[in-house]
Amino acid sequence: MIVAAERQIKRMSEEIERSEDALRAINAKLRGYYDRLEIIHNQFRRRTPIKDTEFQNEFRATVLELKTLADESGEFWRQTRTYFRTLDDKGEIIANNRINIKQMNITALAFNRQVEELHTVFKNIQALAKEVPLRLNWWLLEAGCDELNKIAARILFLIRDMGKYL
């Protein structure tokens, strides 16, 4: 039982790192889309033809990637929270993994910063794209942002709960 719990703690840490890396890449893409969207916005306001014809498809693919990340992470963290709630010997397991849990807390804070950056980029793009007649799957982007925000809060709460046993 203790070995399985230690393995789960390592999986949690790896999942946070994987999610943070994936979200960092998505944030970089969205920042690039913001620059392209400014050009499209200017072209639309000047009533000139929009030259970036692939923007809409690329943006929608990135939004789908974000939503997939949110769904996969959400399922993992639901299972993990349930697993740790059912453990009987939490104190001993957590005490034996102090360093891993503290490292996981640092990584979780970095992941939370990426989620906050995602929200900022989302608001910036949304403010600019309101006037542009493109179909950008806003509901999917907003749902992904909200889900990742909830996941980050769950991760931090779980780690705080584990910290009680440190």
Side-chain angles (χ1 to χ4, degrees), residues 37-97:
L37 190 60
E38 280 184 318
I39 294 169
I40 291 170
H41 181 262
N42 289 337
Q43 289 171 347
F44 179 73
R45 284 183 51 210
R46 292 181 187 141
R47 295 191 173 109
T48 60
I50 296 173
K51 295 176 181 159
D52 193 351
T53 56
E54 290 300 312
F55 176 82
Q56 181 173 306
N57 293 333
E58 291 174 16
F59 186 86
R60 292 176 88 170
T62 302
V63 169
L64 186 60
E65 183 182 339
L66 174 73
K67 183 62 174 146
T68 303
L69 171 69
D71 291 342
E72 290 172 356
S73 286
E75 184 58 34
F76 175 81
W77 288 106
R78 274 190 284 286
Q79 292 172 357
T80 301
R81 287 178 64 199
T82 303
Y83 175 76
F84 271 99
R85 285 183 183 153
T86 59
L87 283 179
D88 294 329
D89 50 356
K90 289 181 203 174
E92 182 181 340
I93 293 167
I94 292 171
N96 291 337
N97 289 289

Side-chain angles (χ1 to χ4, degrees), residues 6 17 26 38 42 57 64 69 71 74 76 91 107 109 113 125 127 131 138 143 147 150 156 162:
E6 289 176 356
E17 289 175 10
I26 290 170
E38 280 184 318
N42 289 337
N57 293 333
L64 186 60
L69 171 69
D71 291 342
F76 175 81
T107 309
L109 291 172
R113 281 191 295 276
I125 289 175
E131 301 172 24
W138 285 113
E147 184 67 26
K150 290 176 189 175
L156 291 173
M162 295 170 113

Side-chain angles (χ1 to χ4, degrees), residues 4-20 76-77 79-81 83-84 87 94 100-101 103-105 107-108 154-160 162:
E6 289 176 356
R7 210 174 298 129
Q8 184 67 23
I9 289 172
K10 287 183 181 177
R11 282 184 56 216
M12 289 168 57
S13 185
E14 291 168 358
E15 177 66 21
I16 294 171
E17 289 175 10
R18 184 193 68 79
S19 296
E20 181 198 1
F76 175 81
W77 288 106
Q79 292 172 357
T80 301
R81 287 178 64 199
Y83 175 76
F84 271 99
L87 283 179
I94 292 171
N100 292 337
I101 292 171
Q103 179 63 38
M104 190 173 18
N105 186 35
T107 309
R154 286 180 187 143
I155 293 169
L156 291 173
F157 183 76
L158 179 61
I159 292 172
R160 228 175 299 141
M162 295 170 113

